[in-house]
Amino acid sequence: MANIIKVLKGTKDILPQEIDLWHKLEKNALEIFSRYGYKEIRTPILEATELFARGVGDTTDIVNKEMYTFEKSERSLTLRPENTAGVVRSFIENGMSRLSTPVKLWYKGPMFRYERPQAGRQRQFHQVGVEMFGIKEPTADAEAILLAVNYLKSLGLNDLEVEINSLGCPKCREEYKRRIKEVLKPEFDNLCEDCQNRYEKNPLRLLDCKVETCKAIFEKPEIQKVIKSDFLCEECAEHYKDLKSYLTRLNVKYVENKLLVRGLDYYNRTVFEIKSNNLGSQNAVCGGGRYDSLVKQLGGEDTPAVGWAMGMERLYSLLQAPEPQKLDGYIVSNSPADAFELAEELRSQGLNIEFCLANKKFTKQLEKASKVANYALILGDDEIKDGKVSVKDLSNSNQVTINRCDVVKNIRK
Ligand code: ATP
Ligand code: MG
């Protein structure tokens, strides 16, 4: 065993005993998102590095520290760390701005970030997410949040906390940034190294810092006063107010969090997160917001957009695995050829059937049937001679001998 090759740090196998719950996450996504008019899109995992540098922004942790980037044929390539940039690239490249609005797209799949692995944080993880293009009104923000909440509800997750904030537009945010910088200036030397680096490039990101000493600084009354101050221009304030009134009308409980700024550069106006109290320190299951400038920034037409992404591993860890599905029937017989023939006949009619492929005793086969199937389908010498099957219901041991052609009906009853 000394020489076995192991899975890479921060990556995981999804094992057969875990897959039913993954299928549920995916099935519910398809079902619920379809109800809201979304279509799935599948973009490549590998993209040009420039897409993320320009799309996600080079002041973000994702682009600065976390990307898996390598050279191939003198091109710099990156394993996608998130999928909004890829979806936007595809939206532009495939002329989707000519489609009637809104264009609603959803995706699922692996993302890659070189982070320190810990509970709730992997290097290859999965996201499910949505992007809606073409609507600037707050109805779109409200519908996107409602969709996230309803997807979570469909999984039985009813008690998660929705946090919202508005980052305003580039115009009104500029003044807010200036005020934040000003009030934090005397504290500059006490900020952590990351915050010192962000101070010039992305001062709002400071508010998101998880370092205790920084958090303590932001608690100071004079700094809180600036953080909590109203800076939104009239249009942004109206947009935010309308979003809140839609959420209230639709019974979506939310809390406003002025410190919620999100890690990415591309957001404007609405940002939101959905958190769980049962996840320890990596407690966010969903993050999203409005990104009205990204399509243009990546070379497309000016197109407002809003979207979110959820971490599927974090959803997984909040849920109970469903009972494993049993086979419909397990054929018990001393004649492999007859068992084979019956298995194929029943499989072709949609039943999940197995029989013993190895040469095992009748009693061993029955034992196996009771473990893996709902019914034992017994093909003894008499049954074979008479064209019959003895069907044993393994939940109560009732057994009936019936014509072969009636087996499907009997099992499905
Ligand atoms: P965090 O603050 O946890 O680093 P983030 O802002 O980097 O989150 P997003 O880019 O908004 O996360 O991604 C959306 C969701 O994807 C997160 O809310 C989380 O559930 C999940 N996620 C992000 N990074 C990871 C990771 N390394 N491992 C597992 N899930 C992750
Ligand atoms: Mg992160």
Side-chain angles (χ1 to χ4, degrees), residues 320-353:
Q320 294 285 328
E323 277 293 305
Q325 286 284 312
K326 284 193 166 180
L327 293 169
D328 294 312
Y330 190 90
I331 301 171
V332 176
S333 178
N334 286 328
S335 166
D338 286 286
F340 224 133
E341 200 178 68
L342 178 63
E344 284 304 296
E345 191 180 312
L346 298 176
R347 286 167 177 163
S348 74
Q349 293 179 74
L351 294 185
N352 298 341
I353 302 290

Side-chain angles (χ1 to χ4, degrees), residues 176-192 195-196 198-200 203 206-207 214 217-218 220 222-224 226-227:
Y176 186 57
K177 278 191 199 167
R178 195 192 58 72
R179 295 202 321 242
I180 296 270
K181 276 169 71 179
E182 190 178 70
V183 73
L184 284 175
K185 197 165 192 174
E187 300 285 350
F188 186 87
D189 292 338
N190 304 325
L191 295 168
C192 74
C195 280
Q196 292 190 352
R198 289 172 190 142
Y199 181 85
E200 279 305 329
L206 268 63
L207 307 183
C214 293
I217 293 173
F218 305 144
K220 293 190 175 177
E222 69 276 18
I223 298 176
Q224 277 291 307
V226 175
I227 292 173

Side-chain angles (χ1 to χ4, degrees), residues 62 66 81-82 113 115 120-123 125-127 208 210 262-264 267 273-274 282 284-288 309-314:
I62 292 183
E66 299 174 0
E82 57 94 80
R113 297 184 193 176
E115 308 198 64
R121 214 181 264 303
Q122 292 176 204
R123 290 178 172 173
F125 62 101
H126 297 77
Q127 285 183 338
D208 204 28
K210 303 285 183 295
R262 312 268 312 122
L264 311 179
Y267 290 114
E273 266 182 9
I274 304 181
Q282 311 311 328
V285 293
C286 177
M310 282 190 200
M312 295 179 82
E313 280 78 4
R314 293 190 196 174

Side-chain angles (χ1 to χ4, degrees), residues 350-404:
L351 294 185
N352 298 341
I353 302 290
E354 274 208 88
F355 67 97
C356 186
L357 293 163
N359 187 12
K360 292 234 170 93
K361 289 215 174 72
F362 211 79
T363 48
K364 286 273 174 223
Q365 293 186 34
L366 257 179
E367 260 172 44
K368 167 98 175 180
S370 63
K371 282 193 199 126
V372 301
N374 292 322
Y375 292 88
L377 306 174
I378 301 163
L379 270 185
D381 294 342
D382 289 345
E383 282 93 350
I384 293 171
K385 185 161 54 68
D386 299 340
K388 305 234 173 203
V389 180
S390 293
V391 178
K392 182 175 182 182
D393 183 337
L394 293 162
S395 66
N396 54 20
S397 295
N398 288 345
Q399 186 170 324
V400 286
T401 301
I402 57 176
N403 289 327
R404 246 176 113 117

